[in-house]
Amino acid sequence: AAQIPIAPTQPTQPIQADVATPPLQISLTAEMVAGILKGQNFSMPSGYIVEDGVDYLVRTGEKIKDLEALKTLPIMVLPIEGLDAITLEDVAEITLVDNSADRYSKVNGVDALTLTIQKQTEYITSDVSKRLGEKIADLTKRYPDLQMVTLMDQGEYIDIVVNSLSMNLIFGGGLAILILLIFLRDLKPTFIVGISIPISLVAAFVLMYFSDISLNIISMGGLALGVGMLVDNSIVVIENIYRMRNEGKSAVEASVEGAKQVSGAIAASTLTTVAVFLPIVFVEGFTREIFSDMGLTIAYSLFASLVVALTLVPSLASKVLVKEAKQDHRIFEGIKKSYTKVLIRALKYKLVVLLLVFALFGASLWGALQMGTELFPATDSGQITVTLNMPFGTTFEELTKSADALSEKVMALEDIDSIGTTIGGGVLGFGSASGGSGTSASLYVTLEDNRKQSTDQVTQKIKDLGIQGAYDLEVSGTDMNMGALSGSGISIEIKGSEFETLEKIATEIAELIRDVKGVTDVSSGVEETSPELRLIVDPEKSIAQGLTAAQVYMAVSKSLSDAKTATTVSGATGDIAVKVYDSKTIESLDRNDVIHLEIDGPQGNKVKISDIATMEEANGFKSIRRDGQQRYVTVSAALVEGNNIGIVSDAVALALKDYVAPDGYSVVLKGENETIKSSFKDLYLMLALALAFIYLIMVAQFQSLLSPFIVMFTIPLAFTGGFFGLMLMGMPLSIVAFVGLILLSGIVVNNGIVFVDYANKMREDGMSVQEALIKTGTDRLRPILMTALTTIMALLTTSLGTGTGTEMMQPMAITAIGGLAYATLLTLVLVPILYAMTHRDK
């Protein structure tokens, strides 16, 4: 920055042209010079003029090109003949200041420049990352001495996660086809059904392209979750064709009749699955932004699978299944006989089965509530943010020395790849370093790819360094997925007007939550105060001099304020900021200078501040934060590792239950728990709307209000399996798991629809209720088990969390697997019981 001290601010000595001319007094101030610089360093288009049919742009003014032009810039021309214009260097000292010594940035202990690069909105992160990687490789090749270390690359992380999900999708599809082969024991029908997976996926990709949906974590997660469902429609069709073919019908007749018989049922089941994502359009904000891509992706793939099942599958079956294939399946026949006995027994003891189902539902719901809640599951990102906080008043040299020492200790830990350290703000936009105070340093730590320890384990070791080295450290793993969108830990916001009262309340709140189990690193938000010098203006003395406290403030503020950038000029390395200082205030004032400042009174008199005010030492907030025109402070706390945010937040709320804030002050529990509650509220709305849509679709399918009710009754009870799945894996209920439950509500009705539809057809053929249910159960057992197992096996790899970053989709897969497995039992046992209780023989 070019610093321009102006001297003097008082009127200069009179300039006399001759004896007869009256003296000319010139008063030149820093404000005047700054204004001249702004006005002269100006170039803007003024408009157009037309001459001989040509449009000419009229540009007014010219920019100051360099420092030399700045020095020779005329700032005043006196009305004296023969006297040259007064230039800036005539009245000011112009100094080019090198401020590199006030900057600190290191990578792996070596001085470095830290570059932060952000993509434009319309471009894809992974593409930009790839192009940057190519450019970095080109630069390092061109300049052998140049070393560039990537501290964080979101594009690379996204590629790794998408590749992991892609592998899960491929393995899931392979396992689904294996289930088909085991049940059908014939390569031909297995091939017919298996071909529906790639065709449906390609169709989904095409529709995603035209909908401007990229291959991201959410969309690929949707495909990985939906790959098992892609074969469900084809399974129902091919199994029905296969059964009719074994009954002696011709290949063409079996294909036509088999597809026609189940077309309504599979269309309805597809619509119910897609309908669960339709309510996304009725919610806003966080939930909609995250899961709209998933809903559209699953919808596209399922609609494609429905078209394939009703067109391509019967066409291929009519050509491929030309020979009768009566193959005995002893194991399955044994399963079928055992199921028939169980079904007969269940129909005999309906009330006992119902009570057992409700008891399990209550137990699972209670257990899930005990597990707590979280926003998103933790992911092992391999990246850690560390903020080193030093006491107020720490010098820059002391801060850099401590940062260097901490970097060396962190680098000595196992599995550390790189460390970037900066002072004056969070590294790469992460961290909470307060650059304004100059007492914080931020470290961005990346771990090795093939590390032996998890990110949490390394994070804990870095925290221990703070205890050993007397550092005040804030350490957290950095998630580049959805978890980074929200704050973490406990946050309590206290609003009010008076600083002293806010400080008192914050201290009391901090003491209350300090004893809550699972809470650590409690901060009242007011411990770190900055020293203040308070000018107490005496109202009587000041008004006697014709001054107010506001006028005293204006005079002191003007004397103490730093110079603002007046303009910029071009330099060798870019634009240089030009700041104009008054020569009297370029040196820092001390308290003695301030108290003896003189203020111009209303009658032109000079008034010393010491005559109307006193100065006191005190402590104040480092910064003042406002929300809705109200001041507030935040009491914060971290969680002890292994604790759940939902459970701990409830405990904190209980501890604050009896606390009564003074009038005009409010205490509100915020942080991650607030985001969880807001998101869950949206998800409750989604679930309610999804259930309504599912019911209406089934009413249209069955042309009845009663039959859909039977199937709908299984949806909340099917959540039992999802809750037990989360409990078994030790996972709390998160947004992702909740979406899994919503998705489950659309899946579990599919087999129920096919079951009730088939039972209705059997009764139309003259069977009694008992006979129709037993016939339906034995005939539909194989497709029900096949569709359930293909979806379960397709989700298996995702539920295990195999691959980097796939932990985010893990709870959704677990709830879907647990719920679907349990719902299959409900379909085979509970649906017949409910059907028998609501239908009579006619």
Side-chain angles (χ1 to χ4, degrees):
Q3 297 181 347
I4 306 176
I6 303 299
T9 57
Q10 296 299 322
T12 62
Q13 293 297 320
I15 300 175
Q16 297 183 352
D18 51 54
V19 177
T21 305
L24 180 66
Q25 293 187 339
I26 305 298
S27 179
L28 197 62
T29 65
E31 290 80 5
M32 291 173 60
V33 172
I36 292 170
L37 288 175
K38 289 179 183 178
Q40 293 289 60
N41 190 29
F42 180 88
S43 176
M44 288 288 287
S46 304
Y48 289 87
I49 60 174
V50 180
E51 291 183 356
D52 299 328
V54 179
D55 291 344
Y56 292 93
L57 174 67
V58 179
R59 183 179 293 276
T60 304
E62 186 179 15
K63 288 282 189 178
I64 299 173
K65 295 180 179 179
D66 50 31
L67 280 176
E68 191 59 37
L70 183 68
K71 292 178 181 179
T72 58
L73 177 72
I75 61 169
M76 187 174 292
V77 177
L78 297 178
I80 301 173
E81 188 177 350
L83 186 64
D84 293 336
I86 298 174
T87 63
L88 188 60
E89 63 180 349
D90 291 335
V91 298
E93 179 186 346
I94 302 173
T95 309
L96 185 63
V97 179
D98 182 2
N99 61 357
S100 60
D102 299 330
R103 299 291 184 265
Y104 174 92
S105 178
K106 290 189 175 182
V107 173
N108 299 334
V110 180
D111 289 334
L113 293 174
T114 303
L115 303 179
T116 302
I117 302 170
Q118 294 180 324
K119 75 173 184 69
Q120 295 179 14
T121 307
E122 63 270 22
Y123 292 93
I124 297 172
T125 305
S126 56
D127 290 346
V128 175
S129 171
K130 184 179 179 181
R131 289 195 291 269
L132 282 172
E134 293 171 353
K135 179 60 68 176
I136 289 172
D138 180 57
L139 288 172
T140 52
K141 185 178 180 180
R142 241 193 299 172
Y143 306 101
D145 295 333
L146 176 66
Q147 295 182 16
M148 302 185 76
V149 177
T150 303
L151 293 175
M152 188 271 288
D153 185 352
Q154 288 188 346
E156 182 181 358
Y157 178 81
I158 292 171
D159 283 342
I160 292 172
V161 175
V162 169
N163 289 337
S164 298
L165 289 170
S166 300
M167 292 305 298
N168 286 347
L169 190 153
I170 293 170
F171 283 123
L175 290 173
I177 293 174
L178 181 62
I179 292 295
L180 295 177
L181 188 58
I182 291 173
F183 271 89
L184 297 178
R185 299 182 68 186
D186 192 340
L187 284 173
K188 293 178 180 178
T190 302
F191 168 77
I192 294 172
V193 175
I195 202 172
S196 64
I197 294 179
I199 293 176
S200 300
L201 288 177
V202 169
F205 288 145
V206 172
L207 293 171
M208 286 169 65
Y209 173 80
F210 287 109
S211 301
D212 200 24
I213 299 175
S214 61
L215 288 179
N216 52 51
I217 297 172
I218 296 298
S219 61
M220 287 301 297
L223 289 176
L225 291 170
V227 66
M229 294 183 285
L230 297 182
V231 295
D232 287 358
N233 292 328
S234 298
I235 286 173
V236 175
V237 172
I238 197 68
E239 196 280 335
N240 213 35
I241 295 172
Y242 200 70
R243 182 177 57 81
M244 288 186 174
R245 188 77 182 89
N246 288 341
E247 290 175 357
K249 293 184 179 180
S250 67
V252 174
E253 186 182 6
S255 298
V256 173
E257 289 299 321
K260 182 180 178 181
Q261 190 179 62
V262 296
S263 60
I266 64 173
S269 63
T270 300
L271 286 174
T272 55
T273 307
V274 172
V276 300
F277 286 103
L278 184 60
I280 286 179
V281 301
F282 296 101
V283 299
E284 297 178 352
F286 192 68
T287 308
R288 181 176 181 175
E289 289 294 328
I290 292 175
F291 294 109
S292 57
D293 281 5
M294 175 181 292
L296 288 173
T297 303
I298 291 178
Y300 292 155
S301 58
L302 289 183
F303 277 132
S305 73
L306 176 62
V307 173
V308 170
L310 292 177
T311 56
L312 183 63
V313 169
S315 297
L316 290 175
S318 65
K319 300 296 181 183
V320 173
L321 302 180
V322 290
K323 295 182 180 179
E324 292 188 26
K326 293 185 178 181
Q327 296 183 5
D328 294 329
H329 200 316
R330 295 180 181 178
I331 297 177
F332 182 72
E333 290 300 322
I335 294 173
K336 187 184 290 186
K337 289 179 181 178
S338 300
Y339 164 67
T340 304
K341 293 178 182 179
V342 171
L343 179 57
I344 294 171
R345 185 64 62 90
L347 290 172
K348 187 177 181 180
Y349 299 100
K350 302 181 186 69
L351 188 60
V352 175
V353 175
L354 281 174
L355 290 175
L356 179 61
V357 168
F358 277 106
L360 288 173
F361 175 67
S364 67
L365 185 60
W366 180 85
L369 293 176
Q370 300 306 307
M371 296 295 292
T373 56
E374 65 179 0
L375 192 62
F376 283 95
T379 58
D380 193 346
S381 62
Q383 296 160 348
I384 302 170
T385 300
V386 184
T387 303
L388 166 65
N389 296 312
M390 299 294 286
F392 184 83
T394 302
T395 64
F396 185 78
E397 290 74 19
E398 291 171 338
L399 180 58
T400 56
K401 187 176 180 181
S402 298
D404 286 340
L406 178 61
S407 296
E408 289 179 8
K409 289 185 177 181
V410 173
M411 200 67 199
L413 296 175
E414 191 178 8
D415 294 329
I416 302 296
D417 183 41
S418 299
I419 299 177
T421 312
T422 62
I423 291 176
V427 181
L428 308 179
F430 294 95
S432 56
S434 52
S437 66
T439 58
S440 298
S442 295
L443 285 74
Y444 194 83
V445 183
T446 58
L447 306 183
E448 295 176 348
D449 292 336
N450 300 319
R451 52 186 176 274
K452 300 175 183 177
Q453 306 171 94
S454 67
T455 302
D456 287 340
Q457 290 173 322
V458 179
T459 298
Q460 187 56 50
K461 288 186 178 181
I462 296 176
K463 287 181 179 179
D464 294 339
L465 292 178
I467 300 172
Q468 299 167 10
Y471 298 108
D472 181 13
L473 300 181
E474 298 175 20
V475 187
S476 62
T478 303
D479 290 340
M480 287 186 294
N481 54 25
M482 306 312 146
L485 298 177
S486 63
S488 59
I490 303 296
S491 178
I492 303 168
E493 192 175 274
I494 305 163
K495 288 185 178 181
S497 55
E498 296 297 328
F499 287 127
E500 290 78 8
T501 308
L502 286 173
E503 185 175 355
K504 178 176 177 292
I505 296 173
T507 304
E508 292 172 352
I509 295 294
E511 287 300 318
L512 281 174
I513 69 171
R514 210 178 296 275
D515 297 329
V516 174
K517 185 179 178 182
V519 169
T520 185
D521 298 334
V522 179
S523 169
S524 66
V526 295
E527 297 100 334
E528 290 192 20
T529 56
S530 58
E532 291 182 350
L533 291 174
R534 295 181 180 176
L535 274 176
I536 311 299
V537 180
D538 188 297
E540 186 176 341
K541 291 180 180 179
S542 62
I543 205 67
Q545 298 290 341
L547 295 170
T548 63
Q551 289 172 299
V552 175
Y553 158 78
M554 293 293 291
V556 175
S557 176
K558 183 178 178 181
S559 300
L560 297 179
S561 60
D562 291 332
K564 296 180 180 178
T565 300
T567 187
T568 58
V569 298
S570 300
T573 58
D575 289 343
I576 301 174
V578 178
K579 297 185 178 182
V580 180
Y581 293 85
D582 192 303
S583 61
K584 286 189 175 180
T585 59
I586 195 167
E587 298 294 335
S588 298
L589 300 178
D590 58 23
R591 69 180 69 187
N592 192 54
D593 296 326
V594 172
I595 199 68
H596 288 96
L597 279 175
E598 290 186 343
I599 305 174
D600 293 330
Q603 290 84 30
N605 56 319
K606 298 289 184 181
V607 181
K608 274 190 177 183
I609 290 180
S610 58
D611 294 336
I612 59 174
T614 57
M615 183 174 283
E616 298 177 357
E617 287 191 11
N619 288 318
F621 293 108
K622 273 188 174 184
S623 60
I624 301 173
R625 290 176 290 181
R626 292 180 181 271
D627 181 26
Q629 301 301 314
Q630 273 194 313
R631 295 167 176 162
Y632 74 92
V633 295
T634 302
V635 177
S636 59
L639 301 185
V640 177
E641 188 174 352
N643 282 267
N644 174 265
I645 182 66
I647 295 174
V648 175
S649 293
D650 290 340
V652 169
L654 187 63
L656 299 176
K657 183 180 179 182
D658 297 327
Y659 183 84
V660 180
D663 291 340
Y665 293 83
S666 63
V667 178
V668 181
L669 182 61
K670 290 202 168 185
E672 185 178 350
N673 198 52
E674 183 188 31
T675 309
I676 292 173
K677 288 182 177 179
S678 174
S679 300
F680 273 37
K681 185 179 178 181
D682 289 338
L683 291 172
Y684 290 139
L685 175 62
M686 278 184 62
L687 179 59
L689 290 172
L691 294 178
F693 290 148
I694 291 170
Y695 182 74
L696 292 175
I697 290 169
M698 288 194 292
V699 168
Q701 161 65 18
F702 292 118
Q703 296 292 301
S704 164
L705 296 176
L706 186 59
S707 294
F709 174 77
I710 297 171
V711 181
M712 289 290 295
F713 199 74
T714 63
I715 293 177
L717 299 181
F719 291 170
T720 302
F723 290 144
F724 276 131
L726 291 175
M727 292 163 60
L728 183 64
M729 299 298 291
M731 291 183 173
L733 184 62
S734 61
I735 288 181
V736 181
F738 205 124
V739 172
L741 293 175
I742 295 175
L743 179 63
L744 182 65
S745 64
I747 299 173
V748 297
V749 298
N750 294 348
N751 284 328
I753 289 172
V754 175
F755 192 101
V756 172
D757 185 67
Y758 196 88
N760 288 339
K761 285 183 170 60
M762 294 301 101
R763 292 189 64 220
E764 289 172 4
D765 292 341
M767 291 186 182
S768 66
V769 172
Q770 181 91 354
E771 292 172 339
L773 290 175
I774 295 173
K775 171 67 173 173
T776 301
T778 53
D779 283 356
R780 307 314 303 166
L781 178 62
R782 180 160 61 179
I784 288 174
L785 290 179
M786 287 169 65
T787 53
L789 286 174
T790 50
T791 305
I792 289 172
M793 296 304 290
L795 293 173
L796 189 60
T797 52
T798 305
S799 69
L800 296 176
T802 55
T804 303
T806 56
E807 299 97 329
M808 197 183 77
M809 289 296 168
Q810 191 177 4
M812 189 182 296
I814 288 171
T815 52
I817 287 177
L820 190 55
Y822 184 73
T824 302
L825 292 176
L826 292 182
T827 302
L828 293 172
V829 178
L830 185 63
V831 168
I833 289 175
L834 294 174
Y835 192 98
M837 293 174 68
T838 53
H839 290 76
R840 295 181 180 179
D841 289 325
K842 295 181 181 179

